[in-house]
């Protein structure tokens, strides 16, 4: 247990108040919302719906297992096949969505436990962003580049494929020189397109050139690059996001995600029940956190026992990225809370 005093003489009345309120603080913790996903809810998917809930649940579970492990064959592995066989046991909610879709939410912690027990690597929801350049050749000399404002079926297909894999993507803005970008995509001189990733805050770049064949189906050549990663594939429009997700998973999915540790975080500046609730909510929303409870009231705040999934350093990194707690002694997990 670590204690931190940010004043020369802590207010005895505040300390007595905090200690007296400890039972109430513990009860208040139960009323806080569940942890939020920083990029995307990995355990909520939309699947085609034809009136059969069980079939939709099975497809949803398959999509979730591929998304979380990064492995296309994960739903068929013996250790995970029971989840696909009885998906309703893991459904927490579902609703009809536009386009004959069913949005299904699954019990993330239960699925995490099953994946950990299977020995598979797990890919968390802190995911790289990918900039997509897609040049379309519709024949007859008509070529165009898909932009962020595009409402075409081709963009919708790529978006849907990326969403299935939990792959955050961005598209070029209309303010870019889309004509020149189209020419660069087709020429094979991709340096400028790759360099644009920095402007878009992207970690990787996916460049596609798609031609419509005689059957009216687009056939695409995709090139993917990110730090230390490069690969290509030919296929349908969905093949690009699938390639990027596969390569990212190869690089970032970790067996270390199965680790569970408990760490003590001391937060100062807690002078009211509202401040306590805010501090608890801040910790609970962090991606690797799987549980938060009050450990002890300190002279200047509260110490929390935090259950963390993954590398022990993941908690420190998540707090740093979140930016809502000010480090006092980050090495000992002591922070200040500012409402």
């Amino acid at each position: 247990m670590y204690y931190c005093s940010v004043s020369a003489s802590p207010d005895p009345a505040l300390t007595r108040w905090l200690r007296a309120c400890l039972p109430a603080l513990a009860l208040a913790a139960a009323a806080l919302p569940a942890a939020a996903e920083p990029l995307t809810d990995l355990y909520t998917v939309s699947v085609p719906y034809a009136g059969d809930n069980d079939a939709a649940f099975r497809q949803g579970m398959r999509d979730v297992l591929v998304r979380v492990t990064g492995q296309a064959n994960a739903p068929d592995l013996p250790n995970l096949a029971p989840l696909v066989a009885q998906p309703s046991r893991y459904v927490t909610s579902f609703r009809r969505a536009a386009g004959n879709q069913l949005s299904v939410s699954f019990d993330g912690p239960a699925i995490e436990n099953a994946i950990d027990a299977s020995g598979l690597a797990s890919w968390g929801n802190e995911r790289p962003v990918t900039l997509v350049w897609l040049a379309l050749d519709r024949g007859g000399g008509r070529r165009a580049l898909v932009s962020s404002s595009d409402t075409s079926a081709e963009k919708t297909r790529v978006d849907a494929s990326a969403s299935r894999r939990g792959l955050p993507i961005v598209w070029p803005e209309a303010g870019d020189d889309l004509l020149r970008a189209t020419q660069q995509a087709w020429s094979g001189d991709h340096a400028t397109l790759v360099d644009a990733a920095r402007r878009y805050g992207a970690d990787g770049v996916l460049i596609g050139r798609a031609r419509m064949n005689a059957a009216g189906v687009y056939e695409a050549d995709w090139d993917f690059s990110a730090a230390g990663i490069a690969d290509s594939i030919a296929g349908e429009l969905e093949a690009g996001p699938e390639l990027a997700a596969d390569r990212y998973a190869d690089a970032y999915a970790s067996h270390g995600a199965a680790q569970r540790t408990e760490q003590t975080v001391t937060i100062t500046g807690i002078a009211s029940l509202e401040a306590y609730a805010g501090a608890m909510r801040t910790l609970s929303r962090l991606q690797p956190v799987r549980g938060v409870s009050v450990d002890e009231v300190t002279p200047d705040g509260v110490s929390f026992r935090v259950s963390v999934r993954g590398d022990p350093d993941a908690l420190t990194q998540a707090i740093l990225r979140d930016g809502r707690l000010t480090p006092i002694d980050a090495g000992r997990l002591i922070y200040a809370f500012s409402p």
Side-chain angles (χ1 to χ4, degrees):
M1 178 66 57
Y2 300 107
Y3 293 86
C4 176
S5 177
V6 295
S7 60
S9 54
D11 184 349
L14 174 59
T15 301
R16 287 196 301 271
W17 178 86
L18 286 169
R19 287 177 174 155
C21 285
L22 185 57
L25 298 182
L27 288 174
L32 292 175
E37 305 292 351
L39 290 180
T40 183
D41 187 348
L42 296 182
Y43 298 95
T44 297
V45 295
S46 293
V47 295
Y49 184 65
D52 186 338
N53 284 1
D54 287 339
F57 293 164
R58 284 193 295 274
Q59 183 58 54
M61 177 63 78
R62 295 183 69 88
D63 288 351
V64 163
L65 292 176
V66 172
R67 176 186 284 185
V68 176
T69 65
Q71 295 192 25
N73 66 337
D76 302 314
L77 298 177
N79 288 341
L80 297 181
L83 278 70
V84 179
Q86 296 181 305
S88 60
R89 295 177 55 186
Y90 301 90
V91 173
T92 58
S93 65
F94 62 94
R95 61 177 178 81
R96 293 291 298 273
N100 292 321
Q101 298 278 304
L102 192 71
S103 177
V104 188
S105 295
F106 292 94
D107 184 344
I111 295 175
E112 285 178 355
N113 290 337
I115 292 172
D116 293 346
S118 74
L120 286 177
S122 184
W123 187 17
N125 53 357
E126 295 269 341
R127 302 202 168 189
V129 176
T130 301
L131 172 63
V132 180
W133 300 95
L134 176 57
L136 301 175
D137 186 340
R138 293 189 169 95
R142 295 177 301 145
R143 287 183 173 179
L145 191 81
V146 177
S147 70
S148 60
S149 60
D150 202 311
T151 58
S152 66
E154 293 77 32
K155 180 176 183 291
T156 298
R157 287 174 58 183
V158 173
D159 283 337
S161 176
S163 177
R164 274 197 307 274
R165 295 298 300 268
L167 181 71
I169 62 174
V170 292
W171 295 88
E173 299 291 343
D176 269 314
D177 188 341
L178 301 186
L179 178 59
R180 177 174 294 182
T182 302
Q183 295 168 344
Q184 291 167 338
W186 284 105
S187 72
D189 181 8
H190 296 162
T192 301
L193 302 182
V194 172
D195 288 343
R198 287 192 294 271
R199 287 193 287 110
Y200 284 91
D203 305 278
V205 179
L206 188 60
I207 302 171
R209 300 163 305 283
R211 296 179 177 85
M212 187 174 289
N213 62 22
V217 176
Y218 275 108
E219 297 175 343
D221 293 312
W222 289 99
D223 294 317
F224 171 66
S225 62
I229 309 172
D231 206 349
S232 302
I233 195 171
E236 296 186 353
L237 294 174
E238 292 81 359
E242 292 283 345
L243 172 67
D246 287 344
R247 297 293 80 80
Y248 280 135
D250 290 342
Y252 299 120
S254 170
H255 290 279
Q259 298 182 62
R260 301 295 171 99
T261 59
E262 280 202 349
Q263 302 181 51
T264 299
V265 178
T266 298
I267 300 182
T268 68
I270 298 178
S272 67
L273 188 60
E274 289 76 15
Y276 159 79
M280 175 74 87
R281 188 177 298 110
T282 295
L283 290 173
S284 298
R285 77 171 71 226
L286 299 176
Q287 189 273 327
V289 171
R290 293 299 178 268
V292 181
S293 61
V294 177
D295 188 26
E296 189 170 336
V297 175
T298 69
D300 290 318
V302 176
S303 288
F304 297 92
R305 186 179 297 112
V306 182
S307 175
V308 179
R309 181 177 187 259
D311 189 296
D313 289 338
L315 178 60
T316 300
Q317 295 302 316
I319 291 174
L320 179 64
R321 285 191 298 269
D322 183 74
R324 301 176 204 223
L325 298 176
T326 302
I328 294 177
D329 186 341
R332 296 193 300 161
L333 296 178
I334 302 173
Y335 299 88
F337 177 73
S338 299

